[in-house]
Amino acid sequence: MPVPEKQISLEEHVRELDSELSGLICAIGGMTVPLRNEFPHRLMGVQNAPNKYGEVVAELDSWANGFICDSLIKTGLVRKIYSEELERPLTYNASAPFVVTLDPLDGSSNIASNNPFGTIVGIYKKDLPCKGSNLVASLFKLYGPITTIVLAAKKGVHEYVAHRKGGHKYVLLHEKMKLPEKGKVIGFGGDITDYPDAIYKYTKILVKEKKLKLRYCGAFVGDFSQVLHYGGMFMYPALKSKPEGKLRLTYEGIPMGNIVEQAGGASSNGKISLLDVMPKNVDERTPVYVGNRELIEGIKKALT
Ligand code: F6P
Ligand code: MN
């Protein structure tokens, strides 16, 4: 990845945002290296109790959740945290400006095999549940071979990397990212034999006619990042046995929908933008389709 000669730190780059928002984003950036450094020491074991969705929780998952929540509290800027790993939201100082959503370790089934996983964050002023169009910012971190942060805070989508030229702090890597016009890759989750016929047919069109290359890593953050860089599409669709899909609207679909839309792409639940869906509750699931506009239009058409 080419790092520009002049290093612009995350702090400098977000300075034009309001000071409370830039303070929170910098604090979230600052917790990345200590969090990542701890991963190898937290690999063993699972928690005794499953999470609120009945899923097994890796020790790393619950530790990461605790670490991120504690670090968020210390900023004094957060009044409520909704996390995929918490039964109920955590509430603090009622006068603090922000409400934060957290998928602390997205793609945690990749932990054991040492494949990519990440963190997804949504930042609001309004309390939840509310539409994604109320987001003030969203970001994801990808703990791949290199740990990157991708941020959308109303002024486009930017990617940052911790670089020695910036004193090992996060510096700008790509500014105002846009999905390449012609998409190259497709990733899709779920059992394809369980896909509704229209989706199965469209998948074949994407691969056979549109010549998208199939690449699926099993973590939303990783599958999303390749769409952002190479163009194409990611979907975790409605399934015959699970029409609501697998991914969570508030914790996953909305923050990533905000990023893809600000990068010139589109997001959808099969009908409308993920940012226009009014969640009934924060744990609601949704089919997720994100990528180049033309491809998302295609899936919407296929589903009508
Ligand atoms: O958070 C849920 C998640 O781990 C996503 O990161 C990923 O896209 C999906 O589940 C993978 O699901 P599956 O194991 O069914 O491919
Ligand atoms: Mn997730």
Side-chain angles (χ1 to χ4, degrees):
M1 287 192 235
V3 175
E5 257 324 292
K6 187 181 170 318
Q7 305 298 310
I8 301 170
S9 68
L10 173 65
E11 279 83 357
E12 286 168 319
H13 198 236
V14 297
R15 204 166 280 154
E16 56 176 8
L17 301 172
D18 84 63
S19 61
E20 288 179 324
L21 181 58
S22 62
L24 180 59
I25 290 169
C26 291
I28 295 173
M31 46 180 104
T32 313
V33 173
L35 183 81
R36 166 116 202 195
N37 286 348
E38 194 61 21
F39 287 165
H41 315 292
R42 304 273 174 181
L43 281 177
M44 265 85 81
V46 292
Q47 267 201 168
N48 287 334
N51 69 10
K52 59 187 166 184
Y53 312 109
E55 299 160 345
V56 175
V57 181
E59 185 197 324
L60 190 56
D61 239 333
S62 59
W63 175 80
N65 181 61
F67 180 90
I68 299 170
C69 290
D70 289 349
S71 312
L72 286 172
I73 301 162
K74 282 189 199 138
T75 66
L77 293 165
V78 176
R79 67 174 189 278
K80 219 166 180 186
I81 302 173
Y82 290 85
S83 167
E84 254 200 51
E85 294 305 329
L86 294 172
E87 287 283 335
R88 275 175 292 281
L90 297 173
T91 310
Y92 309 101
N93 172 7
S95 60
F98 299 112
V99 172
V100 172
T101 66
L102 194 59
D103 179 356
L105 277 196
D106 172 65
S108 46
S109 65
N110 276 354
I111 295 172
S113 56
N114 191 21
N115 288 111
F117 48 91
T119 297
I120 305 174
V121 180
I123 303 174
Y124 297 81
K125 290 212 159 152
K126 232 181 145 171
D127 200 356
L128 303 179
C130 72
K131 283 189 187 177
S133 45
N134 292 294
L135 270 173
V136 276
S138 63
L139 62 92
F140 72 90
K141 301 181 189 185
L142 177 55
Y143 312 115
I146 299 163
T147 298
T148 48
I149 300 175
V150 173
L151 167 72
K154 302 284 179 211
K155 300 221 164 137
V157 174
H158 317 294
E159 187 170 44
Y160 306 87
V161 68
H163 195 271
R164 62 172 172 247
K165 282 193 190 163
H168 297 277
K169 293 220 170 120
Y170 273 83
V171 297
L172 185 63
L173 181 62
H174 294 295
E175 193 174 34
K176 298 196 176 105
M177 298 175 81
K178 291 284 171 205
L179 265 63
E181 236 165 69
K182 188 158 169 27
K184 287 207 180 93
V185 292
I186 167 97
F188 40 87
D191 173 0
I192 57 167
T193 64
D194 198 16
Y195 281 13
D197 294 344
I199 296 176
Y200 185 72
K201 264 193 215 152
Y202 189 62
T203 309
K204 284 210 287 200
I205 292 174
L206 291 172
V207 177
K208 277 185 150 175
E209 289 173 26
K210 298 200 181 282
K211 300 284 179 216
L212 292 172
K213 192 198 268 186
L214 172 61
R215 281 191 180 176
Y216 181 64
C217 89
F220 188 18
V221 283
D223 291 311
F224 183 93
S225 181
Q226 67 176 4
V227 170
L228 195 57
H229 283 269
Y230 305 136
M233 182 174 159
F234 166 75
M235 65 176 168
Y236 205 112
L239 302 175
K240 282 186 206 155
S241 64
K242 253 182 154 191
E244 70 284 12
K246 177 180 184 191
L247 301 184
R248 265 97 198 179
L249 176 60
T250 295
Y251 297 114
E252 300 173 306
I254 286 176
M256 301 299 252
N258 179 47
I259 295 172
V260 78
E261 291 195 16
Q262 284 199 46
S267 78
S268 181
N269 64 357
K271 289 196 181 102
I272 58 172
S273 159
L274 292 170
L275 304 184
D276 289 332
V277 183
M278 179 61 211
K280 286 179 216 60
N281 63 69
V282 291
D283 297 314
E284 183 174 329
R285 293 176 199 261
T286 180
V288 167
Y289 309 91
V290 285
N292 286 76
R293 284 187 195 176
E294 171 229 333
L295 303 175
I296 302 303
E297 279 311 310
I299 193 93
K300 279 158 67 178
K301 225 164 146 196
L303 286 169
T304 48

